[in-house]
Amino acid sequence: MTSLVIAEHDNASVKGATLNTVTAALKCGGDVHVLVAGNQAAAAAAAAAQIAGVAKVLHAEGDGFTHGLAENVAAQVLAVAANYSHILFAATASGKNIAPRVAAKLDVGQISDITKVDSPDTFERPIYAGNAIATVQSQDATKVLTVRTTGFDPAAATGGSAAVEVLTAVGASAKATFVGSEIAKNDRPELTAAKIIVSGGRALGSSEKFMDVMTPLADKLGAALGASRAAVDAGYAPNDWQVGQTGKIVAPQLYIAAGISGAIQHLAGMKDSKVIVAINKDPEAPIFSVADYGLEADLFVAVPELTAAL
Amino acid sequence: MKVLVSVKRVVDYNVKVRVKSDGSGVDIANVKMSMNPFDEIAIEEAVRLKEKGIVTEIIAVSCGVTQCQETLRTAMAIGADRGILVETAVELQPLAVAKLLKALVEKEQPGLIILGKQAIDDDCNQTGQMLAALADLPQGTFASKVEIVDGKANITREVDGGSETVSLTLPAVVTTDLRLNEPRYVTLPNIMKAKKKQLDVLTPEALGVDVTPHIKTLKVVEPPKRSAGIKVPDVATLIAKLKNEAKVI
């Protein structure tokens, strides 16, 4: 029994979500191998070999892997899939994009967003936006899983010394090509990896006010910025800031929700945070029912006051 | 160009589901059912492509129980031209639905297949990608923009940290994200018109697809409750608590 973790990386380094996925793979029992499919990704492969608990790294080099296109990465996974009992991806935009292609080609059911490994074939996962937790058992020989990173601690990034085996890369699909990307560049921590998240809701009222009020607090705390769906839909914050069932699932040490009422879809994305602070002027806001510390106040007064006092 | 859109009947997004006391699942008896919101966005996108003259026919497909006909009628009221129900009482998992859709893709030969990125009941986020793999098609998942130019689909996708654009040869599979469009309200005349549109009923057997579940649900429980904490009177108290009690700043 051996598990294969598909590394998420930028060719130079391995992304944090891979570390949590390795932990989930170790819980499945047996050895853990990591696949790095990239373009000039020797540094990422070397980083993967350092992850504690990893027995072997498979490294495939190809033009088709530069931008992680699902068609190409899935084909590379399928080329080695027969050797593995478990194939795990982080439940990120990239992992969610690729994993089902692998499962379908293997003719196995995929288990998405696992939060716990009960046994090598039995897993727990949230359904209905986290309003219920299902325990499910795979009936297939190969288990294809996506891992909700907040459910597993990250494996240590160093301490391992796995051998790196070079694979023959599969050819790139001619049907899909990468055109370009717009990735916001900033110095803030990534939302899903941040220790502190400062999140704003519709009460902010405009994108200018969102930035004026929330950004200084985030800067002061070295926090990532998040937003409720209502705030994103209203155009106050970029799409990829959305925390919730259909956005990012986060579990930082501290989550500060300002002007967020706490719709069930939002709570689904942040209720595993260690400490939740809610700032809202509506005493009945559902966010208070999950908050460790609730401050009933106008965010336009309280947030700047908080920023100044820190 | 024909477009195939799949629509799923799910518990309405406003309903707070209750877990059954015997742990066998969630209670969906006498609960309002609606079209999966992401699928509504998928239908809307197809209708917009038709209004632009790019698409000639929109076929809505639903797989499941008899009542999915209602979901198909809603799709036709938004603007789908006809509907296909693949009727079965078996619990359908994403792999089975992807196989059913692949059989229909072979039969109908659409140039584009649009699906919601995930259903809000099982939250799987699998079917579109599985269909693409089985039918050997390229995929543009989590789409926030769809453009059809020179026989190719340029899909802007929401990814971690921003967005990216991929160019796909047609036929292709697209799955919708929240901000692709805002679905229109269905009007009464369109609801009446939808009732007269063609709706064919097939079975998995007729399509030659085995829909046996691959994943067994052992139990369903309520998530651990997070208990409400305390209210603090002012910012100073809040900071003191975060520093001394929670020790997170």
Side-chain angles (χ1 to χ4, degrees):
Chain A
M1 201 167 71
T2 310
S3 295
L4 180 67
V5 170
I6 289 48
E8 203 166 322
H9 63 88
D10 57 6
N11 293 310
S13 61
V14 171
K15 295 202 177 159
T18 305
L19 302 176
N20 308 72
T21 312
V22 165
T23 300
L26 288 165
K27 289 192 194 285
C28 294
D31 282 349
V32 174
H33 295 177
V34 174
L35 170 67
V36 177
N39 189 0
Q40 303 191 331
Q50 303 271 305
I51 300 172
V54 173
K56 185 156 85 173
V57 172
L58 306 178
H59 176 199
E61 277 287 314
D63 291 344
F65 304 138
T66 313
H67 304 288
L69 287 183
E71 293 78 359
N72 302 336
V73 179
Q76 187 66 55
V77 176
L78 287 163
V80 296
N83 304 329
Y84 296 98
S85 58
H86 296 72
I87 301 175
L88 300 94
F89 297 78
T92 54
S94 164
K96 289 173 180 176
N97 192 30
I98 304 166
R101 283 191 85 102
V102 173
K105 281 295 198 186
L106 294 173
D107 195 26
V108 304
Q110 176 187 314
I111 302 179
S112 295
D113 273 303
I114 63 162
T115 49
K116 197 168 168 219
V117 178
D118 285 353
S119 78
D121 68 357
T122 305
F123 309 91
E124 293 181 22
R125 63 178 301 266
I127 53 175
Y128 287 93
N131 283 309
I133 308 293
T135 303
V136 297
Q137 185 179 43
S138 167
Q139 312 287 300
D140 295 307
T142 310
K143 282 76 177 162
V144 175
L145 313 167
T146 64
V147 175
R148 182 168 286 197
T149 52
T150 55
F152 300 89
D153 293 330
T158 55
S161 57
V164 178
E165 182 184 318
V166 175
L167 296 181
T168 310
V170 298
S173 164
K175 293 179 178 176
T177 47
F178 178 84
V179 178
S181 67
E182 277 183 46
I183 305 295
K185 289 260 184 292
N186 59 41
D187 300 332
R188 287 184 201 294
E190 203 184 323
L191 196 50
T192 49
K195 289 205 162 50
I196 302 178
I197 295 174
V198 170
S199 208
R202 188 163 42 190
L204 268 306
S206 74
S207 125
E208 292 74 30
K209 281 190 247 170
F210 195 108
M211 301 310 152
D212 286 352
V213 175
M214 302 304 289
T215 312
L217 178 59
D219 287 343
K220 207 72 176 266
L221 290 166
L225 276 164
S228 69
R229 179 179 167 187
V232 172
D233 280 352
Y236 305 164
N239 293 353
D240 60 303
W241 288 12
Q242 186 188 323
V243 171
Q245 178 191 15
T246 56
K248 300 280 195 312
I249 311 288
V250 300
Q253 294 289 304
L254 173 60
Y255 188 91
I256 301 180
I260 294 178
S261 64
I264 191 80
Q265 291 84 354
H266 186 76
L267 301 185
M270 46 65 83
K271 68 182 166 56
D272 292 327
S273 305
K274 184 162 172 273
V275 174
I276 297 173
V277 170
I279 301 172
N280 204 304
K281 64 180 175 190
D282 174 10
E284 304 298 322
I287 190 84
F288 286 125
S289 69
V290 299
D292 298 281
Y293 303 110
L295 177 60
E296 213 183 293
D298 182 351
L299 76 93
F300 291 107
V301 177
V303 174
E305 196 184 330
L306 181 59
T307 308
L310 281 167
Chain B
M1 178 171 82
K2 270 198 227 180
V3 173
L4 194 101
V5 181
S6 77
V7 293
K8 184 176 185 182
R9 179 176 181 265
V10 298
V11 171
D12 187 88
Y13 75 101
N14 281 316
V15 172
K16 189 174 181 329
V17 295
R18 283 204 346 268
V19 173
K20 287 189 203 167
S21 52
D22 65 357
S24 63
V26 296
D27 193 357
I28 57 166
N30 304 316
V31 159
K32 186 183 178 201
M33 304 293 281
S34 299
M35 188 190 296
N36 181 42
F38 288 99
D39 302 351
E40 241 180 285
I41 295 171
I43 285 280
E44 174 67 32
E45 194 63 20
V47 174
R48 290 187 189 189
L49 289 171
K50 193 178 173 195
E51 287 166 350
K52 284 184 196 153
I54 295 164
V55 162
T56 49
E57 187 187 25
I58 302 165
I59 308 158
V61 179
S62 193
C63 304
V65 294
T66 317
Q67 292 89 326
C68 294
Q69 291 200 19
E70 294 161 19
T71 317
L72 286 169
R73 291 293 172 200
T74 307
M76 290 189 276
I78 298 171
D81 296 291
R82 61 187 167 96
I84 300 173
L85 168 64
V86 184
E87 189 173 341
T88 175
V90 176
E91 179 212 335
L92 290 177
Q93 294 178 347
L95 181 62
V97 177
K99 288 178 181 175
L100 293 171
L101 293 175
K102 178 189 176 241
L104 289 171
V105 165
E106 281 167 0
K107 202 170 153 202
E108 298 285 349
Q109 299 286 320
L112 195 63
I113 305 107
I114 312 180
L115 307 86
K117 77 164 179 180
Q118 78 190 62
I120 59 165
D121 49 5
D122 58 26
D123 285 330
C124 275
N125 195 334
Q126 299 173 6
T127 309
Q129 297 90 311
M130 285 183 159
L131 168 63
L134 294 174
D136 195 23
L137 297 177
Q139 70 189 39
T141 54
F142 326 144
S144 59
K145 193 172 170 195
V146 173
E147 280 180 321
I148 310 292
V149 191
D150 301 333
K152 290 200 164 190
N154 290 329
I155 310 295
T156 304
R157 313 177 49 235
E158 293 194 9
V159 296
D160 294 335
S163 64
E164 69 172 33
T165 305
V166 290
S167 172
L168 313 174
T169 59
L170 299 176
V173 174
V174 171
T175 77
T176 61
D177 216 316
L178 279 178
R179 281 158 290 265
L180 177 58
N181 61 51
E182 210 166 297
R184 67 197 65 190
Y185 288 102
V186 292
T187 59
L188 189 59
N190 283 337
I191 292 172
M192 300 310 289
K193 248 189 268 175
K195 288 186 178 166
K196 298 201 186 77
K197 288 182 180 174
Q198 184 186 340
L199 196 165
D200 298 314
V201 181
L202 301 173
T203 61
E205 295 73 35
L207 292 169
V209 174
D210 176 8
V211 293
T212 313
H214 283 238
I215 294 160
K216 193 172 158 191
T217 299
L218 302 181
K219 67 172 179 192
V220 175
V221 298
E222 281 198 26
K225 281 258 184 305
R226 193 182 175 108
S227 49
I230 53 161
K231 288 251 176 107
V232 291
D234 51 39
V235 168
T237 317
L238 176 62
I239 292 175
K241 292 276 185 197
L242 290 177
K243 277 190 174 150
N244 306 326
E245 196 174 89
K247 297 188 172 63
V248 286
I249 57 171

